[in-house]
């Protein structure tokens, strides 16, 4: 049995035990499922309007496990399950969470409930939670956790190991350790393996790597994710304006950012606004609003294509065979433009290309797009001969080269133009590029047709 099949079977058995209120069977099944799998079951129960069974399942878990499962749920789902919790129970759940997950859940709660919970917390916990919650969304400060292992400079390896043992239970990760100076600034970093194999009497100053790659609290989260990927880090230390270490962003949180940013770019690439939640959970009215604006604008953009066709009615009437090739030509230009735009948008998102590379990329795109257009022209020219003769074939071939070349250059340049004006380059992908090339392709095609056929 595969891993997925095994998990599905465990889920089915768990739901049956829950439905039959079989506590013994329920307690036997729960350890077989990870927190993420239980969170998925809770999500499915909410989708089926079975909130009561979801609450019963969550309440059957130990407090530490409840905290872990809640950390895997979406904001609205967290609100649903915490709404029925007493304040003392919710406070206990928050205390079991990691600092970053605790902050995320705290920000989801209503203001009145946040005030009640803050009054019940110890001063140190309250200050820490308020500090983490104060950072702007989308930054390293909002993403980081304060649960890390720090070692003062000058400490011996044996004492450092004792420090690791003391702080490890509450740390997000213990594999990367940070050596701090007297002012709390990161002076170096080292791995747990380095510490374990070193001489007990050696000092951490002698072992640490002094070149500490770090981010600031206001560094954009996508930049933090790029740092993690570029340098293969387990975690990125985050410093404040005085360069004091205030938290770390772990690789799993960076992976979530990568997924979120990729999803956002894909949505924008198809002219869809950013969704507040997954497509299966976002309200229908919100989904409509996110999609309708660009679609309506692009409708008026497509009117330019109709105006172009109307302008060349005499040319079309004289050579009806031209209509056969119109969808083929503007479709090819749109596809080539969308390809070029996607390559540029993704390259800009990953930092592979920038505005400084525009001239070099333009020369490369001219060569590639010209070759693509010529290849496609050779492929379609024989069809032009069969449908309308050599003159029509020439029109189609020349138009194909020109439209593909124009579409590719437009698709390549538009992301840079949008970025220059402070707009998101992802907006330049398929629908926008395709609409622009549709209108311009019609003008290019029938202009060549008028010139060549009337001259012939």
């Amino acid at each position: 049995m595969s891993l997925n099949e095994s998990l599905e079977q465990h889920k089915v058995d768990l739901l049956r035990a829950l439905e039959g209120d079989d506590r013994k069977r329920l307690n036997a099944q729960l350890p077989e499922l990870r927190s993420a799998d239980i969170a998925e079951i809770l999500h499915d129960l909410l989708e089926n309007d079975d909130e009561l069974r979801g609450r019963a399942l969550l309440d059957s878990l130990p407090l530490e496990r409840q905290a872990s499962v809640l950390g895997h749920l979406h904001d609205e789902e967290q609100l649903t399950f915490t709404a029925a919790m007493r304040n003392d129970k919710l406070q206990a759940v928050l205390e079991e969470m990691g600092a970053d997950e605790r902050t995320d859940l705290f920000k989801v709660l209503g203001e009145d409930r946040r005030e009640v919970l803050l009054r019940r917390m110890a001063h140190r916990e309250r200050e820490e939670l308020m500090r983490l919650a104060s950072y702007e969304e989308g930054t390293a400060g909002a993403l980081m956790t304060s649960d890390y292992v720090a070692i003062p400079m000058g400490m011996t390896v044996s004492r450092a190991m004792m420090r690791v043992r003391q702080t490890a239970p509450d740390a997000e990760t213990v594999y990367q350790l940070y050596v701090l100076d007297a002012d709390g600034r990161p002076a170096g970093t080292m791995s747990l393996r380095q510490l374990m194999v070193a001489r007990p009497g050696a000092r951490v100053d002698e072992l640490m790597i002094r070149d500490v790659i770090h981010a600031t609290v206001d560094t954009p989260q996508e930049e933090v994710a790029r740092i993690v990927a570029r340098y293969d880090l387990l975690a990125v230390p985050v410093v404040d304006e005085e360069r004091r270490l205030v938290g770390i962003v772990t690789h799993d949180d960076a992976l979530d950012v990568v997924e979120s940013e990729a999803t956002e770019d894909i949505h924008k690439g198809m002219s869809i606004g950013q969704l507040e939640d997954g497509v299966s959970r976002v309200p229908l009215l919100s989904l409509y609003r996110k999609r309708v604006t660009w679609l309506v604008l692009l409708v008026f953009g497509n009117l330019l294509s109709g105006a172009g066709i109307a302008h060349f009615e005499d040319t079309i009437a004289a050579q009806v065979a031209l209509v056969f090739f119109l969808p083929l030509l503007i479709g090819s230009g749109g596809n080539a433009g969308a390809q070029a735009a996607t390559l540029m948008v993704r390259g800009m998102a990953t930092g592979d290309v920038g505005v400084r590379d525009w001239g070099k990329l333009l020369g490369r795109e001219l060569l590639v797009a010209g070759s693509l257009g010529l290849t496609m022209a050779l492929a379609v020219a024989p069809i032009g001969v069969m449908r309308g003769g050599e003159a029509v074939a020439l029109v189609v071939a020349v138009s194909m080269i020109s439209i593909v070349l124009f579409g590719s250059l437009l698709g390549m340049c538009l992301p840079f133009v949008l970025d220059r004006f402070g707009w998101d380059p992802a907006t330049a992908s398929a629908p926008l590029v395709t609409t622009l090339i549709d209108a311009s392709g019609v003008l290019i095609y029938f202009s060549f047709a008028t010139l060549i056929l009337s001259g012939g």
Side-chain angles (χ1 to χ4, degrees), residues 75-76 78-80 82-84 87 90 94 102-119 121 129 133:
D75 293 353
E76 292 299 323
Q78 288 180 333
L79 270 179
T80 299
T82 56
N87 288 327
L90 180 54
L94 286 171
R102 182 189 307 132
T103 305
D104 291 340
L105 176 54
F106 180 78
K107 288 192 287 188
V108 168
L109 301 173
E111 187 172 344
D112 293 341
R113 198 161 197 195
R114 289 203 299 261
E115 289 294 329
V116 172
L117 291 168
L118 285 174
R119 287 197 297 268
M121 289 182 180
L129 182 57

Side-chain angles (χ1 to χ4, degrees), residues 332-347:
S332 298
N335 291 337
Q339 283 183 341
T342 301
L343 289 172
M344 291 305 107
V345 169
R346 189 57 187 160

Side-chain angles (χ1 to χ4, degrees), residues 193-397:
R193 180 174 60 181
Q194 284 179 285
L195 193 66
M196 292 176 65
V197 300
R199 291 184 301 104
R203 297 191 178 276
V204 293
D205 309 40
E206 305 167 4
L207 305 171
M208 68 183 186
I209 299 171
R210 296 182 180 274
D211 182 20
V212 182
I213 299 168
H214 66 273
T216 61
V217 290
D218 56 355
T219 300
Q221 62 180 16
E222 55 267 30
E223 179 61 28
V224 177
R226 278 198 287 266
I227 292 173
V228 171
R230 181 186 181 100
Y231 298 104
D232 294 328
L233 301 177
L234 290 174
V236 177
V238 181
V239 299
D240 61 14
E241 59 275 6
E242 298 178 8
R243 286 203 71 252
R244 292 174 302 191
L245 183 65
V246 291
I248 62 172
V249 176
T250 54
H251 66 283
D252 55 326
D253 289 328
L255 184 61
D256 291 339
V257 170
V258 171
E259 180 183 8
S260 174
E261 293 293 330
T263 300
E264 182 180 342
D265 286 346
I266 291 170
H267 288 165
K268 288 180 178 178
M270 294 307 296
S271 301
I272 300 171
Q274 183 176 358
L275 302 180
E276 300 85 0
D277 209 337
V279 67
S280 63
R281 294 178 295 276
V282 69
L284 290 178
L285 183 59
S286 178
L287 194 60
Y288 166 80
R289 287 201 304 265
K290 296 296 183 181
R291 298 175 63 179
V292 69
T293 303
W294 270 106
L295 287 177
V296 171
L297 290 175
L298 295 176
V299 163
F300 288 101
N302 284 322
L303 289 177
L304 297 174
S305 301
I309 293 173
H311 180 73
F312 290 101
E313 283 181 348
D314 292 340
T315 302
I316 296 171
Q319 189 59 263
V320 179
L322 293 172
V323 178
F324 176 82
F325 296 97
L326 180 59
L328 181 150
L329 290 168
I330 62 175
S332 298
N335 291 337
Q339 283 183 341
T342 301
L343 289 172
M344 291 305 107
V345 169
R346 189 57 187 160
M348 294 172 75
T350 60
D352 183 43
V353 298
V355 176
R356 66 186 182 280
D357 303 309
W358 182 83
K360 174 185 174 183
L361 292 170
L362 180 62
R364 288 167 58 89
E365 191 63 27
L366 275 169
L367 292 173
V368 173
S371 301
L372 291 172
L374 182 59
T375 303
M376 297 167 75
L378 292 173
V380 78
I383 304 175
V385 173
M386 289 188 293
R387 294 286 302 185
E390 293 181 359
V392 170
L394 178 60
V395 170
V396 171

